[in-house]
């Protein structure tokens, strides 16, 4: 059945900026490939599967682009409509098409939080590596709190420590946007707890946002409470003295326990495959749970 009522706002906002260029209107050779917002795009973003199939059967080009290079596949993934994306791909949709904003269908799937679309795109050869740092799927998923997308990308080999100059790492982005569950998933997957944005660590932004949950999580995974940012400030210096966070930092100033040091050392040895490797160790479940922060 068609999903007629979902993601109307997404359609309007993207459709409003996708106006045809003067070049495309004046050049008849371009009209088959570049157009204004089309019925194909509309059906894709709203999940109208029957309408989409009808349009394709009538000979509409599945790679029809707006002036902003947005394809129907971009819109299907933006709406999180796996069935529509599947039909488009079966009829030759370009899986790695890039918009003028450097958005790929994979990026659009991370915007909507659709793991089903991510899986489908990878099955059809989608690249996990963004064509430009302006639109990184793993950063977008972390920013929006799409934990399952973060987990899916991490398990399929995305660089979870990909450091973009104007964004930082996915972990930094998750902490900056106070997405605790995404931050936890990244840390469990082996993300570098001290790698942030320039000299600003994830702990700095967690302290700045006065998030006790994030601060506790990061310190538990070995964050350096003494690290200084570009202003020579430690994370604890970014919170008001009367804040409960100030007390938390004071409690963590002492040396780590031997158990904690051992856990951090073992996890560091396993790198980005920590979860899989620790799970496979011939150890009592209690020790595995400790190593996995369960």
């Amino acid at each position: 059945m068609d999903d007629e009522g979902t993601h109307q706002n997404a359609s309007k906002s993207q459709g409003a900026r996708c106006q045809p260029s003067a070049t495309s209107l004046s050049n008849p050779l371009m009209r088959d490939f570049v157009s204004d917002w089309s019925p194909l795009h509309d059906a894709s973003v709203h999940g109208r599967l029957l309408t989409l199939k009808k349009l394709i059967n009538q000979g509409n080009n599945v790679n029809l682009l707006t002036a902003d290079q947005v394809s129907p596949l971009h819109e299907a993934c933006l709406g999180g409509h796996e069935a529509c994306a599947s039909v488009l791909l079966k009829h030759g949709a370009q899986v790695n098409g890039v918009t003028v904003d450097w958005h790929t269908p994979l990026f659009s799937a991370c915007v909507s939080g659709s793991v089903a679309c991510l899986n489908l795109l990878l099955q059809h050869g989608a690249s996990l590596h963004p064509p430009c740092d302006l639109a990184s799927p793993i950063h977008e998923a972390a920013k929006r709190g799409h934990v399952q997308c973060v987990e899916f990308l991490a398990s399929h080999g995305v660089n979870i420590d990909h450091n973009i100059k104007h964004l930082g790492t996915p972990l930094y982005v998750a902490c900056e946007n106070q997405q605790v569950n995404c931050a936890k998933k990244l840390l469990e997957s082996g993300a570098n707890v001290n790698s942030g944005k320039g000299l600003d660590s994830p702990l700095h932004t967690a302290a700045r946002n006065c998030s006790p949950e994030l601060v506790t999580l990061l310190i538990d995974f070995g964050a350096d409470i003494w690290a200084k940012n570009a202003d020579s400030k430690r994370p604890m210096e970014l919170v008001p003295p009367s804040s409960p966070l100030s007390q938390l930092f004071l409690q963590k100033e002492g040396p780590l326990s031997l158990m904690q040091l051992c856990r951090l050392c073992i996890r560091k040895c396993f790198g980005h495959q920590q979860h899989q490797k620790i799970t496979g160790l011939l150890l009592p479940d209690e020790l595995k749970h400790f190593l996995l922060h369960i």
Side-chain angles (χ1 to χ4, degrees):
M1 293 181 65
D2 292 352
D3 183 5
E4 299 286 344
T6 59
H7 299 281
Q8 292 182 358
N9 291 335
S11 173
K12 290 177 183 176
S13 64
Q14 193 152 11
R17 70 172 186 268
C18 294
Q19 298 300 319
S21 65
T23 303
S24 66
L25 291 174
S26 63
N27 185 353
L29 296 177
M30 294 289 287
R31 289 177 189 164
D32 289 336
F33 304 99
V34 180
S35 82
D36 195 2
W37 186 256
S38 74
L40 209 62
H41 289 81
D42 194 63
S44 298
V45 77
H46 290 124
R48 295 170 181 157
L49 184 58
L50 297 180
T51 302
L52 181 63
K53 289 180 176 179
K54 182 179 179 180
L55 289 168
I56 293 174
N57 289 336
Q58 289 174 349
N60 286 276
N61 180 8
V62 296
N63 288 309
L64 188 69
L65 301 177
T66 68
D68 284 350
Q69 307 296 300
V70 178
S71 71
L73 182 59
H74 282 98
E75 293 306 297
C77 293
L78 184 65
H81 302 300
E82 178 195 9
C84 289
S86 180
V87 168
L88 290 164
L89 287 165
K90 287 177 181 177
H91 286 84
Q94 295 296 318
V95 72
N96 287 313
V98 181
T99 71
V100 294
D101 295 321
W102 298 99
H103 294 180
T104 61
L106 197 77
F107 180 91
S108 295
C110 286
V111 173
S112 67
S114 174
V115 176
C117 284
L118 286 180
N119 188 43
L120 179 68
L121 292 168
L122 287 189
Q123 289 176 5
H124 285 79
S127 174
L128 286 169
H129 308 292
C132 175
D133 280 347
L134 293 176
S136 164
I138 184 70
H139 285 77
E140 192 67 17
K143 167 188 163 184
R144 293 177 179 271
H146 296 316
V147 181
Q148 291 181 324
C149 288
V150 168
E151 182 177 20
F152 180 89
L153 292 170
S155 66
H156 284 76
V158 164
N159 179 10
I160 57 175
D161 285 327
H162 183 196
N163 203 320
I164 297 174
K165 185 175 182 180
H166 68 286
L167 292 176
T169 62
L171 177 60
Y172 185 88
V173 169
C175 293
E176 188 176 37
N177 290 276
Q178 301 191 57
Q179 301 293 354
V180 178
N181 290 333
C182 279
K184 188 172 189 295
K185 183 56 62 178
L186 287 163
L187 289 166
E188 288 174 347
S189 300
N192 185 337
V193 70
N194 292 310
S195 183
K197 181 181 178 182
L199 293 177
D200 213 46
S201 71
L203 190 57
H204 279 99
T205 192
R208 194 178 295 113
N209 289 329
C210 291
S211 174
E213 193 173 0
L214 273 172
V215 167
T216 301
L217 175 70
L218 292 166
I219 292 177
D220 195 35
F221 274 84
D224 183 3
I225 66 172
W226 302 100
K228 293 185 178 181
N229 62 14
D231 297 321
S232 294
K233 297 286 187 181
R234 293 175 293 162
M236 65 184 73
E237 295 175 306
L238 301 178
V239 299
S242 59
S243 168
L245 262 184
S246 181
Q247 296 300 316
L248 178 60
F249 275 113
L250 287 175
Q251 292 171 9
K252 301 293 184 180
E253 281 188 342
L256 297 175
S257 68
L258 181 58
M259 287 180 63
Q260 176 70 342
L261 287 171
C262 288
R263 174 163 63 180
L264 294 175
C265 182
I266 291 171
R267 288 182 64 88
K268 184 178 180 180
C269 288
F270 285 142
H272 287 167
Q273 300 299 318
Q274 292 174 3
H275 191 277
Q276 296 90 328
K277 291 181 179 178
I278 292 173
T279 303
L281 291 174
L282 297 175
L283 292 173
D285 288 341
E286 186 176 359
L287 277 177
K288 288 183 184 180
H289 291 167
F290 175 72
L291 292 173
L292 292 169
H293 289 267
I294 295 176

